[in-house]
Amino acid sequence: MTTALAATLLFGSLIVLLLIGTPIALATALSAIFTMLWILPFDQSLTTAAQQLAVGVDNFTILSIPLFVLAGIIMNNGGIAFKLINLAKLFVGRLPGTLAHTNVVGNMLFGSISGSSVAAAAAMGKIITPMAKRQNYPVNYIASANIASAPAGLLIPPSSMLIVYSLVSGGTSIAALFIAGYIPGILWGLVVMTIAYFIAKRNGYAVSEKISWKDRAFIVLDAIPSLLLIVLVIGGIVGGIFTATEGAAVAVVYATVLALIYREISIKQIDVIFKETFEVTGMILFLIISSSLFSLMMSYLEIPSGISNVMLSISDNPIIILLIMNLLLLFMGTFMDVTPAILIFTPIFFPVAADLGVDPVHFGIIIAFNLCIGSITPPIGSVLFVGTSVAKANFEKVIKTMVPYFVILIVMLLIITFFPQLSLFLPDLFGLL
């Protein structure tokens, strides 16, 4: 069987399985197995598949993913969101559309701690939406600000998405990726706040009441222990005190102690917390092992190098090639969740980026930014659906309100792509490149 036909079977079966509603992890594994059975003897196929499924998760760094997930879920149930929302309100209290800005800053803070844009959108939405309704904010305005800002937390570390990219890109420094996400993540939040500000100014939305200096001091002191988690974990990883996996374990211990001090978690909640952790971790690990099998078949069929040759034959201009990759990633990101998209497309595009001389850390941020936009874009955007559901808003109306956010975020994507120092300045400053 020729390589072209095998590649057609690999991607064709994947598309067919997805179209008939097969979960993406299972579709990815099955399409790889179908192709493997076609081109290799049966016994060799079984041996290769079994070995690859084991090798796919045989990495110490992968242990950081369930630990960060557990830390995020503990903090999600530990009353942290309320404290961070109060802190966020201090920064934006006198801006028109105060609650929308509070939501954005809250997502940046809580998303970076929880490591999940979906968790951030759900937590912030559940708290902000009732407050917004009491103050007569249009629900579509609040929902769109919540949805648009939630992915900022995926860029601001600790980020499981960047850990997955590190694994499939051949070991790109996790510390460098973490620190590189700060400026793009903060810029994401700022541009969302800019759009929310102009909408609020035009429509005369409410400004929050003034907060006394006594209350300000209490809010800051109350939030400091939560913020110290970021300083402790990221500072330790970047400073070389511990690895990402060890940092994740520290995050679990710290989050547990904090939740117990706040008395927000009871013994009865422990089984719920671990059950949710097992469910999320199982899904991620299944995606990783199935995608590793898919990547093995792509490498065997030399698909990444073939795509690299085709793209470089179109143009040797890095600007043109990066624009093409951005368009493809934006398109696929609207149909696929973040983790499987990274697992599938990083092995395809990474060799092309390497041939163009793009820094691996910068390319990781480009992919992450693309797929974060995809997470809030129809038809599959998980954050979009969660944010709309939590706010009990009309889906079509929320989409219309989201249009300015889509435009400004795509502009930001181009800036991130063609001004690499926005991503590389901090890693270079800390000597991580």
Side-chain angles (χ1 to χ4, degrees), residues 37 60 65 68 91 225 231 279 299 309 341 362 400:
L37 289 171
F60 182 66
I65 294 176
F68 274 128
F91 296 108
V231 177
E279 288 175 350
S299 299
N309 292 334
H362 178 217
K400 290 179 181 178

Side-chain angles (χ1 to χ4, degrees), residues 278-352:
F278 295 151
E279 288 175 350
V280 175
T281 301
M283 177 184 67
I284 294 173
L285 293 182
F286 188 32
L287 279 168
I288 290 174
I289 61 174
S290 61
S291 297
S292 70
L293 195 58
F294 193 86
S295 297
L296 175 68
M297 291 312 304
M298 287 199 298
S299 299
Y300 183 84
L301 298 172
E302 299 182 343
I303 291 173
S305 60
I307 291 175
S308 176
N309 292 334
V310 169
M311 294 186 74
L312 293 174
S313 68
I314 295 173
S315 173
D316 58 1
N317 187 328
I319 295 176
I320 301 298
I321 299 299
L322 286 172
L323 281 174
I324 293 172
M325 283 195 283
N326 275 331
L327 286 172
L328 290 172
L329 286 168
L330 277 174
F331 175 74
M332 296 309 301
T334 63
F335 291 94
M336 300 179 70
D337 206 359
V338 171
T339 302
I342 286 179
L343 289 165
I344 291 173
F345 292 107
T346 299
I348 294 175
F349 291 134
F350 188 84
V352 182

Side-chain angles (χ1 to χ4, degrees), residues 126-204:
K126 288 176 182 177
I127 298 169
I128 292 289
T129 302
M131 297 168 63
K133 289 179 178 178
R134 286 195 297 269
Q135 297 184 29
N136 297 318
Y137 281 92
V139 67
N140 299 326
Y141 171 71
I142 290 297
S144 61
N146 183 33
I147 294 164
S149 60
L154 279 181
L155 293 165
I156 300 172
S159 169
S160 59
M161 174 176 64
L162 294 177
I163 294 173
V164 172
Y165 170 81
S166 171
L167 293 171
V168 293
S169 64
T172 304
S173 167
I174 293 177
L177 286 167
F178 275 7
I179 204 76
Y182 272 110
I183 292 178
I186 292 170
L187 288 175
W188 181 302
L190 290 176
V191 297
V192 171
M193 289 178 67
T194 302
I195 297 297
Y197 171 84
F198 282 114
I199 294 175
K201 190 75 172 175
R202 184 182 63 197
N203 293 285

Side-chain angles (χ1 to χ4, degrees), residues 69-410:
V69 168
L70 176 58
I73 291 172
I74 291 171
M75 299 197 80
N76 195 18
N77 289 274
I80 306 302
F82 284 101
K83 301 177 189 305
L84 295 179
I85 284 176
N86 288 333
L87 180 65
K89 206 169 182 180
L90 290 184
F91 296 108
V92 297
R94 305 306 296 164
L95 292 175
T98 298
L99 283 183
H101 301 302
T102 302
N103 197 333
V104 174
V105 178
N107 270 332
M108 293 167 69
L109 293 171
F110 187 74
S112 66
I113 291 174
S114 70
S116 168
S117 56
V118 172
M124 293 297 125
K126 288 176 182 177
I127 298 169
I128 292 289
T129 302
M131 297 168 63
K133 289 179 178 178
R134 286 195 297 269
Q135 297 184 29
N136 297 318
Y137 281 92
V139 67
N140 299 326
Y141 171 71
I142 290 297
S144 61
N146 183 33
I147 294 164
S149 60
L154 279 181
L155 293 165
I156 300 172
S159 169
S160 59
M161 174 176 64
L162 294 177
I163 294 173
V164 172
Y165 170 81
S166 171
L167 293 171
V168 293
S169 64
T172 304
S173 167
I174 293 177
L177 286 167
F178 275 7
I179 204 76
Y182 272 110
I183 292 178
I186 292 170
L187 288 175
W188 181 302
L190 290 176
V191 297
V192 171
M193 289 178 67
T194 302
I195 297 297
Y197 171 84
F198 282 114
I199 294 175
K201 190 75 172 175
R202 184 182 63 197
N203 293 285
Y205 295 155
V207 176
S208 177
E209 70 281 356
K210 288 185 178 181
I211 303 174
S212 68
W213 285 105
K214 181 180 178 181
D215 289 339
R216 287 171 182 263
F218 175 79
I219 289 169
V220 171
L221 290 173
D222 197 36
I224 284 176
S226 303
L227 295 176
L228 282 178
L229 173 65
I230 302 174
V231 177
L232 182 66
V233 174
I234 303 306
I237 294 172
V238 172
I241 299 173
F242 40 68
T243 66
T245 304
E246 293 163 346
V250 170
V252 170
V253 174
Y254 187 94
T256 303
V257 171
L258 202 59
L260 291 174
I261 291 173
Y262 288 153
R263 297 182 180 179
E264 295 285 348
I265 291 181
S266 64
I267 299 296
K268 293 180 180 179
Q269 287 178 280
I270 293 177
D271 62 332
V272 176
I273 289 171
F274 277 103
K275 181 182 177 182
E276 187 177 348
T277 302
F278 295 151
E279 288 175 350
V280 175
T281 301
M283 177 184 67
I284 294 173
L285 293 182
F286 188 32
L287 279 168
I288 290 174
I289 61 174
S290 61
S291 297
S292 70
L293 195 58
F294 193 86
S295 297
L296 175 68
M297 291 312 304
M298 287 199 298
S299 299
Y300 183 84
L301 298 172
E302 299 182 343
I303 291 173
S305 60
I307 291 175
S308 176
N309 292 334
V310 169
M311 294 186 74
L312 293 174
S313 68
I314 295 173
S315 173
D316 58 1
N317 187 328
I319 295 176
I320 301 298
I321 299 299
L322 286 172
L323 281 174
I324 293 172
M325 283 195 283
N326 275 331
L327 286 172
L328 290 172
L329 286 168
L330 277 174
F331 175 74
M332 296 309 301
T334 63
F335 291 94
M336 300 179 70
D337 206 359
V338 171
T339 302
I342 286 179
L343 289 165
I344 291 173
F345 292 107
T346 299
I348 294 175
F349 291 134
F350 188 84
V352 182
D355 287 341
L356 295 174
V358 179
D359 187 276
V361 173
H362 178 217
F363 189 63
I365 300 300
I366 292 174
I367 290 183
F369 209 99
N370 267 292
L371 298 177
C372 281
I373 295 176
S375 72
I376 61 174
T377 308
I380 305 296
S382 55
V383 177
L384 175 63
F385 283 99
V386 168
T388 305
S389 175
V390 168
K392 297 180 181 178
N394 180 277
F395 186 78
E396 289 76 15
K397 290 181 180 178
V398 170
I399 294 296
K400 290 179 181 178
T401 313
M402 290 283 297
V403 170
Y405 296 110
F406 291 137
V407 173
I408 194 69
L409 288 172
I410 289 173

